[in-house]
Amino acid sequence: GQQLNQSPQSMFIQEGEDVSMNCTSSSIFNTWLWYKQDPGEGPVLLIALYKAGELTSNGRLTAQFGITRKDSFLNISASIPSDVGIYFCAGHNNTDKLIFGTGTRLQVFP
Amino acid sequence: DTEVTQTPKHLVMGMTNKKSLKCEQHMGHRAMYWYKQKAKKPPELMFVYSYEKLSINESVPSRFSPECPNSSLLNLHLHALQPEDSALYLCASSLRDRGIYEQYFGPGTRLTVT
């Protein structure tokens, strides 16, 4: 099925560093979502974005809905060890089908 | 409260067994979903129930049989599975009202078929 292009595929950073990842699509979306998944657990919804250009924060996380509606960005500031996991973007157009990104695996070293 | 619960957490079954996965939410959500997830891959949609009716079946083999007894419960009945069906099975729900389609996932059932 269709997947969104997410980059980078993986990141290895030191605790305290900032992190940026993005997600791009060939088609537009009405809503962008960002999830975090810990090993062996289900994805947890971090941020939902509803309008082009929207910038939304959740603690140390900030996400943006791209102006073209074909991309989205997630930033994590001052990373900590519990930020380790896989981050998935997802888009939808007011339907039951979420289109997921390929995932960004984040590893944080103390 | 954005909790979706799933049981069991882990399941090991033989290829001739019949088992069921269960999912429950009490958020008043009107859509519920089953996903299959292989390691290091995003979740793959299997089924969608909207207002307790099956609305999407992503060409899933008949050895997987979904059931939605009421708006809070979702089951996935398993029969004659293959080893390649081993995966993390995720349930999700969404309000599916007023344009709100965000999906909230349960913790998943780790299924191993031997």
Side-chain angles (χ1 to χ4, degrees):
Chain A
Q2 180 187 358
Q3 285 184 354
L4 306 176
N5 295 316
Q6 202 170 333
S7 65
Q9 186 174 8
S10 59
M11 302 182 74
F12 299 85
I13 64 169
Q14 199 152 23
E15 184 176 357
E17 290 183 2
D18 296 343
V19 172
S20 291
M21 59 189 78
N22 68 76
C23 196
T24 59
S25 169
S26 57
S27 54
I28 63 174
F29 286 106
N30 291 336
T31 300
W32 283 93
L33 307 173
W34 283 92
Y35 289 90
K36 176 179 183 264
Q37 187 171 23
D38 292 332
E41 299 291 332
V44 173
L45 182 62
L46 299 174
I47 291 180
L49 302 158
Y50 304 101
K51 293 181 182 178
E54 179 182 358
L55 191 70
T56 297
S57 293
N58 177 5
R60 293 178 295 106
L61 278 60
T62 301
Q64 183 161 24
F65 191 141
I67 289 291
T68 65
R69 295 170 64 192
K70 292 184 177 182
D71 56 8
S72 181
F73 306 88
L74 176 70
N75 295 317
I76 305 173
S77 62
S79 59
I80 59 178
S82 61
D83 291 332
V84 167
I86 302 179
Y87 291 79
F88 289 105
C89 63
H92 74 72
N93 287 317
N94 298 342
T95 70
D96 286 314
K97 285 196 178 185
L98 282 186
I99 308 300
F100 280 92
T102 47
T104 293
R105 182 179 296 272
L106 178 64
Q107 189 66 259
V108 179
F109 294 102
Chain B
D1 181 13
T2 54
E3 188 177 31
V4 176
T5 59
Q6 288 187 244
T7 55
K9 180 72 172 171
H10 301 276
L11 179 62
V12 179
M13 60 185 291
M15 290 189 285
T16 59
N17 291 161
K18 286 185 181 181
K19 296 287 185 183
S20 296
L21 309 184
K22 297 186 182 302
C23 175
E24 191 166 359
Q25 59 87 13
H26 294 288
M27 298 179 278
H29 287 181
R30 304 316 302 266
M32 296 185 76
Y33 312 77
W34 280 115
Y35 287 86
K36 174 183 177 181
Q37 186 178 29
K38 289 285 200 178
K40 300 183 181 180
K41 297 290 188 182
E44 298 174 34
L45 183 64
M46 300 173 71
F47 302 103
V48 180
Y49 272 84
S50 177
Y51 295 88
E52 300 169 46
K53 292 190 182 340
L54 183 64
S55 59
I56 296 176
N57 175 342
E58 292 286 272
S59 302
V60 178
S62 59
R63 58 186 183 269
F64 295 91
S65 176
E67 178 196 18
C68 188
N70 60 55
S71 60
S72 298
L73 295 174
L74 186 66
N75 298 321
L76 185 63
H77 303 297
L78 315 172
H79 174 54
L81 295 192
Q82 303 297 310
E84 59 265 28
D85 296 321
S86 298
L88 182 67
Y89 287 84
L90 296 163
C91 174
S93 70
S94 73
L95 182 63
R96 205 184 184 282
D97 190 11
R98 290 174 275 128
I100 299 174
Y101 286 81
E102 289 79 72
Q103 296 183 22
Y104 294 88
F105 286 83
T109 294
R110 172 68 60 187
L111 174 67
T112 303
V113 181
T114 61

